[in-house]
Amino acid sequence: MVYVFAGTGQAGSAIVDDVFGHRRVSTPASPLVFNSTIRDLRNLSNVDEANQYGIAERHGLVERGTPGFEEQVTGGFGRNPVQADEVMSDNREELLGTLSSHFDEDDGTPGDIPFAFVCLGLGGGTGCGIAPHVADAIKEYTDGVAQIIAVAVLPNTKGPVSEDDEQISAGRQAWNTVYGLDRLEESVDGIVLVDNQRLAYEDAAEGRFSEYNEYVASGLVDLISGSTLERIDPGEYDDVDPPVVDLQDVVTSLSFDTRGTNPTPGYATIGRSVSMTRSLLGYLVPFVGGQEVDSSALSRLATSKQTLSGVSPEEAEKAIGLVRAPVEYISGGDNRIETSTIRRFLEAQCPEVNLGVALTRRNLASFTSLFTYRRENVDRITEIEDRADEYEAESEVGQTI
């Protein structure tokens, strides 16, 4: 069994790279990245070249180790997801072959892939155009078994609608986003949104993208790995029987009508907060320096750090959360985290809540949450749709794409 993390385009590949830079990432996970420029692939630090692929209009899907790779994969798709979509569509069989070469068992049978994450940026061309094909190929390869979560980066659309010679316009990015989301909905079970506009209000925002990706990666690793992250057996401790959430619970929380005939992907935001459980003195002197963790503050801070601009948790229909803390903060005692307080907080926001608890050997307590919404209740998407309509009405490019 393996979990696949597929990064498409610059933003998607960067998130996958940060996930695998996480020292605690679960070992059954496997990365694949697809990009249209060698420059972006060179920026990856944690994904082996054997798991990297180029996509080019003339050459199709190209393995990173192919002779002449750097000459074949250079130009990108000019921020045009339609072009990227067409190229990947023409190379569907090669994409399926790539999955087979990585995941087939020794006897040639398809590998066991119960879950996959497809990461992409929605404002550009490559990820926006090829991500649905990657998701569809994983579904086909697993005969429909794999459940797929998209991690999609919304562009900053605070800017002029008209085209700029040096930079893609906000209107064009909005159009690309709607094009990508409409197609992505047909291919995945749930969508986690990461909004770059959250950084648009900060000074030196460009320098914060790396930190933002690391924040998202830490939240994903926490939720995905659940109780297996540090391989701690709660049975080793007396009076410890924490509720568990697993990746199937995460998928269920991200989807609507999961048992019916018309499953619909939800749109979720991710939030994470951390509180140290030991003071500086506690690092120097054993058995002293333990600090109380404010359960209410932990849950509220994670909510305030959700990865979507202008969203209200009260409009969410589902929520899932994971508390991770040292055993003494779970089993009892003066510093015990009141998980019931966190649960009540979540239940005050939305009607369907799932909360799990996991142990850590680190001197910190964390809370990671997902709030899931229907598309029509996400004002940020409505804003982008309006911007896309405006762009299409006023731009020749929009009318001819």
Side-chain angles (χ1 to χ4, degrees):
M1 181 182 72
V2 65
Y3 300 162
V4 175
F5 282 80
T8 62
Q10 180 183 14
S13 297
I15 290 176
V16 170
D17 196 53
D18 277 323
V19 166
F20 284 85
H22 207 292
R23 288 178 294 178
R24 300 180 297 141
V25 69
S26 180
T27 52
S30 179
L32 289 174
V33 296
F34 304 87
N35 216 323
S36 57
T37 62
I38 183 63
R39 181 186 64 254
D40 293 338
L41 291 172
R42 284 175 179 160
N43 289 333
L44 304 179
S45 303
N46 306 300
V47 178
D48 291 341
E49 288 191 6
N51 293 45
Q52 298 179 20
Y53 290 84
I55 179 76
E57 184 175 8
R58 289 181 56 197
H59 305 283
L61 204 61
V62 187
E63 293 184 42
R64 178 69 192 271
T66 301
F69 179 88
E70 296 192 7
E71 288 74 31
Q72 296 179 52
V73 183
T74 56
F77 290 101
R79 304 284 188 169
N80 187 342
V82 178
Q83 185 181 14
D85 169 36
E86 292 171 351
V87 171
M88 190 58 101
S89 179
D90 291 340
N91 289 273
R92 182 63 171 270
E93 291 304 316
E94 287 80 356
L95 181 56
L96 287 168
T98 295
L99 297 176
S100 295
S101 66
H102 278 277
F103 303 115
D104 276 4
E105 303 290 349
D106 292 339
D107 61 1
T109 59
D112 181 12
I113 302 175
F115 302 100
F117 290 78
V118 176
C119 304
L120 69 150
L122 285 165
T126 304
C128 192
I130 73 174
H133 290 286
V134 174
D136 287 341
I138 294 172
K139 287 276 191 183
E140 183 175 343
Y141 173 75
T142 63
D143 198 22
V145 170
Q147 294 179 284
I148 300 177
I149 298 172
V151 181
V153 181
L154 295 174
N156 170 22
T157 53
K158 293 288 186 182
V161 172
S162 60
E163 291 284 355
D164 186 297
D165 290 337
E166 297 181 356
Q167 187 176 10
I168 186 173
S169 73
R172 176 59 182 271
Q173 290 187 80
W175 191 95
N176 288 354
T177 298
V178 174
Y179 175 84
L181 286 179
D182 287 348
R183 294 169 61 252
L184 200 61
E185 281 189 354
E186 301 175 1
S187 305
V188 303
D189 297 283
I191 301 171
V192 177
L193 294 175
V194 179
D195 192 357
N196 276 347
Q197 196 152 288
R198 294 277 291 179
L199 298 182
Y201 310 108
E202 301 185 21
D203 294 333
E206 287 295 330
R208 301 296 303 279
F209 284 118
S210 178
E211 295 177 26
Y212 198 21
N213 284 344
E214 290 174 7
Y215 170 76
V216 173
S218 294
L220 290 175
V221 170
D222 248 7
L223 285 171
I224 294 161
S225 301
S227 60
T228 68
L229 186 59
E230 297 182 55
R231 306 194 187 284
I232 301 173
D233 182 5
E236 297 176 2
Y237 303 94
D238 295 333
D239 302 323
V240 176
D241 186 22
V244 175
V245 294
D246 58 21
L247 198 42
Q248 181 59 62
D249 295 320
V250 174
V251 173
T252 300
S253 181
L254 283 169
S255 307
F256 296 108
D257 193 23
T258 54
R259 297 182 181 179
T261 58
N262 186 30
T264 303
Y267 286 80
T269 64
I270 191 168
R272 187 170 187 264
S273 60
V274 176
S275 177
M276 300 306 298
T277 59
R278 189 167 295 278
S279 66
L280 178 60
L281 180 62
Y283 284 92
L284 303 175
V285 182
F287 308 114
V288 301
Q291 300 186 129
E292 182 180 354
V293 175
D294 187 331
S295 303
S296 179
L298 200 65
S299 54
R300 292 180 183 280
L301 180 58
T303 302
S304 71
K305 295 168 66 179
Q306 295 290 308
T307 53
L308 188 59
S309 177
V311 74
S312 174
E314 290 83 1
E315 295 180 351
E317 296 194 25
K318 295 185 178 184
I320 190 169
L322 177 71
V323 177
R324 189 179 300 279
V327 63
E328 60 269 25
Y329 284 79
I330 302 300
S331 60
D334 295 338
N335 290 334
R336 184 176 187 271
I337 294 175
E338 297 297 333
T339 56
S340 59
T341 298
I342 297 176
R343 177 177 288 278
R344 285 196 299 272
F345 173 81
L346 294 176
E347 290 174 342
Q349 314 301 320
C350 58
E352 185 175 330
V353 168
N354 195 350
L355 180 66
V357 177
L359 302 179
T360 181
R361 294 187 178 91
R362 306 178 72 196
N363 293 315
L364 57 82
S366 66
F367 175 60
T368 305
S369 63
L370 286 173
F371 286 97
T372 303
Y373 308 79
R374 295 188 185 273
R375 176 167 171 167
E376 59 267 25
N377 293 330
V378 180
D379 291 344
R380 181 77 172 93
I381 295 179
T382 301
E383 170 194 319
I384 288 173
E385 290 171 337
D386 291 343
R387 201 68 187 260
D389 290 342
E390 180 184 357
Y391 172 79
E392 188 160 332
E394 297 185 10
S395 169
E396 266 184 52
V397 178
Q399 295 170 8
T400 58
I401 289 178

